[in-house]
């Protein structure tokens, strides 16, 4: 009997800065898992954005947070997202849409990516309502001002924020 031909792996890419990852991001990743053979979380390596955490730290925090999902891999990329997707053999990029205010910039990115590579499709997914106001910027701000982040980020992220921003909190 001839071997059945294997169809290529269906891969979806979830790109972002993830500085740091929060539960809204994790909610999207969990929703993606059943839909694709492999989900690649792609961390942008762009020091111009002056991130709080290095790429290595962000990769470590995300890998720890998704360790229960064997079909999820976490990688960094620099340069164009569409080039990274070519390198992976992926055609689908997923972005989270929290509110209408996200739409304009996401629409621009989706159309630019399509222009750069017409084979790439952008899918938008919405996180659980409880997380629809979350952003990495707010997470850092609230932490630095002493606010409670319980239930909004993985525990490991709170630990890292403490190491990095603890000094800011102490003179509050
Ligand atoms: O979490 P962010 O900062 O909103 O993620 C933005 C990201 C990383 C998805 C976007 O900046 C990106 O894809 N950058 C890579 C450079 C690129 O491909 N630019 C042209 C298409 S928009």
């Amino acid at each position: 009997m001839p071997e059945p031909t294997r169809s290529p792996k269906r891969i979806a890419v979830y790109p972002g800065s993830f500085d740091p990852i929060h539960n809204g991001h994790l909610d999207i990743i969990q929703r993606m898992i059943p839909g694709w053979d492999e989900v690649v979380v792609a961390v942008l390596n762009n020091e111009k954005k002056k991130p709080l955490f290095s790429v290595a730290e962000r990769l470590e925090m995300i890998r720890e947070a998704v360790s229960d999902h064997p079909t999820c891999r976490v990688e960094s990329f620099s340069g164009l997202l569409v080039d990274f997707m070519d390198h992976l053999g992926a055609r689908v990029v997923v972005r989270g849409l929290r509110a209408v205010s996200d739409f304009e910039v996401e629409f621009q990115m989706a159309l630019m990516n399509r222009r750069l590579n017409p084979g790439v499709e952008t899918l938008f997914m919405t996180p659980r309502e409880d997380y629809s106001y979350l952003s990495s910027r707010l997470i850092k701000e609230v932490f630095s001002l002493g606010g409670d982040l319980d239930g909004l980020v993985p525990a490991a992220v709170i630990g890292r924020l403490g190491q990095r921003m603890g000094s800011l909190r102490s003179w509050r």
Side-chain angles (χ1 to χ4, degrees), residues 110-127:
L111 292 183
M112 179 56 85
N113 282 330
R114 181 186 284 165
R115 159 82 203 238
L116 293 169
N117 182 347
V120 164
E121 290 298 341
T122 301
L123 295 187
F124 296 111
M125 295 180 74
T126 47

Side-chain angles (χ1 to χ4, degrees), residues 43-116:
V43 179
L44 178 65
N45 184 356
N46 180 0
E47 291 303 319
K48 278 197 206 135
K49 279 200 167 183
K50 299 225 180 334
L52 177 65
F53 293 106
S54 69
V55 169
E57 289 171 312
R58 284 180 271 160
L59 290 175
E60 212 174 298
M61 285 185 274
I62 302 170
R63 284 187 180 134
E64 192 177 327
V66 301
S67 60
D68 285 349
H69 301 296
T71 58
C72 181
R73 139 162 108 93
V74 187
E75 304 285 347
S76 65
F77 76 103
S78 40
L80 287 176
L81 175 63
V82 290
D83 290 343
F84 182 62
M85 294 185 60
D86 258 355
H87 160 79
L88 295 170
R91 295 170 54 95
V92 172
V93 53
V94 169
R95 292 283 290 168
L97 264 193
R98 292 164 297 192
V100 179
S101 51
D102 282 341
F103 181 73
E104 200 167 332
V105 78
E106 293 298 334
F107 189 61
Q108 284 178 342
M109 283 204 284
L111 292 183
M112 179 56 85
N113 282 330
R114 181 186 284 165
R115 159 82 203 238
L116 293 169

